[in-house]
Amino acid sequence: MHYKKMLIAMASTALLFGLGYGPAGEVSAENSSAQTAAKPAIKAEFTTIAQTSEASAKAKAEQEMKKFKNLIDLQQKALSEKFKPGEIRYVYINDKEYQASSAGSSISGATYSIRYNTYNEYVEKYAAGNTAMPLRLQQQPEGYNLWVAVIAPYLSQKEAAKISNQVIAEGKASGKKIYVKKLQEKRTWVQLIYNMPSEKNGKRGVLGIVAEPAGPNDKTVESEPVVAQSEKLEVGGQEVIYTPLDKMEYKSVAWMNPQTRINYIIRETRGHLTKEELLALAGQIIEASA
C-alpha cells in the first residue's frame, strides 16, 4: 500500500481573464484599403496589451510569493507532516496582508489516503476483501486506462463547507499566523479515476467512478444533484439518474443502493462513452454490489 496525501476542495480557484476585440469595439466607416490595413494593426496592439498585462500580473504574483515565502513554507510543512489513518488536516494562514494578495489561498487541506496504480492491485489489496463498500468492474471501460484508485476519509460537500468556515473562524481567533486543525474520520470513500491514453476526435476524456456513504437522511445522491436535464431510468432493477450537460461536455449516472446506503456516481468529462455505454457500466457495478 502506498500512503500519500491528496489536496482537497479548499485549494485556490484560478480565474481566467480574456481580452477580446470585435465589431462592438470598431468604429463604423465605409470600406477602404486604409481601414482594411488598420484592422490587423489594431488587433496586434490589443494582443500586445494582453501579453504585457499577463506578464505584469505574473511578475506581481511571483513577487508576492517571494514576500510571503515564510508563510507558504510553514503552510506546506504543516500539510506534509505524517498523517494518521483517517486524518483530515486543514491549514489556515491568518495574515490579512497575505489574504489581500494573489499569492494563494488562505485555507488549504489534505487527507490521509491509500493509492493503487493498477486495477489489479486495487482489487487484490482492497476491493477483494471489502464487503462494506464494494466497487468492482467485470470489464474495464473501453478506451480508458486506470490512472489511480484512491481510498480516503469521507466528508460530504455540506460537511466540508461547514468545517472550512469553522477553521477560518477558529484561525482568525487563534492569534496564530498558521492555524492547524486535525480531524479523524471513520467513513471512507473510493474513487477510480481513468483517463484516455490518446485523443479521440481531438479530445482526451476523464472518467471517474465513486462509491461514497449516503447521509442518514439522504434520499438522493447529495453530491450529484438532479437538474432539469436529468432522467430517471432503471438498470438491473435499480433506479438511476442519468444527467447530460452538453455545454460542459459532461455526463453522469448516479444511484443509491438502499440496502447498503452507498452512493455510486460515474462521471465522464470530454469523453467518448455513449449514454448506453455509461448505463452498461453502471449495470456492472450494480450487479457486483448486489
Side-chain angles (χ1 to χ4, degrees):
M1 295 184 184
H2 307 290
Y3 302 97
K4 297 183 180 180
K5 296 165 287 297
M6 294 182 64
L7 288 180
I8 54 180
M10 292 71 64
S12 59
T13 302
L15 298 178
L16 303 178
F17 296 91
L19 182 60
Y21 174 78
E26 297 175 5
V27 178
S28 177
E30 294 181 2
N31 290 332
S32 68
S33 58
Q35 182 190 14
T36 303
K39 286 185 179 180
I42 294 172
K43 291 183 179 181
E45 184 179 347
F46 269 76
T47 301
T48 302
I49 292 170
Q51 290 172 344
T52 303
S53 177
E54 182 181 348
S56 176
K58 184 179 179 181
K60 182 180 178 182
E62 289 176 351
Q63 189 64 32
E64 288 183 333
M65 289 291 284
K66 291 178 182 178
K67 182 178 181 181
F68 300 111
K69 183 179 184 304
N70 185 51
L71 287 174
I72 294 169
D73 286 349
L74 289 173
Q75 179 194 54
Q76 293 305 310
K77 182 176 183 296
L79 287 171
S80 63
E81 292 173 352
K82 187 176 180 180
F83 279 57
K84 296 179 180 179
E87 182 181 335
I88 300 172
R89 187 180 303 171
Y90 293 78
V91 180
Y92 177 70
I93 298 180
N94 186 27
D95 184 278
K96 291 183 178 179
E97 188 178 4
Y98 175 84
Q99 291 161 11
S101 74
S102 59
S105 174
S106 60
I107 184 169
S108 57
T111 178
Y112 171 96
S113 66
I114 305 170
R115 298 166 63 97
Y116 302 104
N117 295 319
T118 69
Y119 182 79
N120 287 340
E121 184 185 22
Y122 157 73
V123 170
E124 290 169 5
K125 296 184 178 180
Y126 179 79
N130 190 306
T131 56
M133 190 175 290
L135 180 53
R136 296 284 297 271
L137 300 177
Q138 297 168 348
Q139 297 177 340
Q140 295 302 292
E142 186 175 350
Y144 279 99
N145 290 338
L146 181 72
W147 177 58
V148 68
V150 182
I151 296 90
Y154 176 76
L155 290 176
S156 70
Q157 294 175 353
K158 291 179 181 178
E159 290 169 334
K162 182 178 179 181
I163 292 172
S164 179
N165 290 333
Q166 181 183 337
V167 170
I168 292 172
E170 291 176 0
K172 289 180 177 179
S174 70
K176 300 177 181 178
K177 285 289 185 182
I178 300 292
Y179 177 75
V180 180
K181 187 177 184 69
K182 299 177 182 180
L183 305 172
Q184 288 295 127
E185 180 56 60
K186 293 181 179 179
R187 295 170 299 170
T188 61
W189 66 324
V190 180
Q191 303 176 79
L192 304 181
I193 305 174
Y194 293 83
N195 57 25
M196 293 169 60
S198 58
E199 290 185 356
K200 185 172 182 178
N201 298 324
K203 300 174 183 178
R204 183 172 291 180
V206 177
L207 177 72
I209 306 174
V210 174
E212 62 186 27
N217 301 317
D218 287 352
K219 295 182 180 179
T220 59
V221 180
E222 185 260 351
S223 60
E224 189 69 15
V226 176
V227 296
Q229 297 92 327
S230 298
E231 298 178 62
K232 284 187 180 181
L233 303 168
E234 187 172 305
V235 177
Q238 168 74 55
E239 181 183 276
V240 304
I241 304 295
Y242 172 72
T243 302
L245 300 175
D246 295 338
K247 289 184 178 180
M248 298 174 65
E249 298 185 283
Y250 172 90
K251 46 190 177 289
S252 69
V253 184
W255 69 95
M256 178 194 295
N257 185 314
Q259 281 74 43
T260 61
R261 300 287 298 172
I262 299 297
N263 291 332
Y264 294 91
I265 310 104
I266 303 171
R267 301 180 173 106
E268 187 187 39
T269 303
R270 291 177 59 82
H272 64 277
L273 296 180
T274 64
K275 173 182 177 180
E276 290 71 25
E277 288 171 327
L278 280 178
L279 294 175
L281 188 56
Q284 285 190 47
I285 299 169
I286 290 167
E287 183 179 346
S289 59

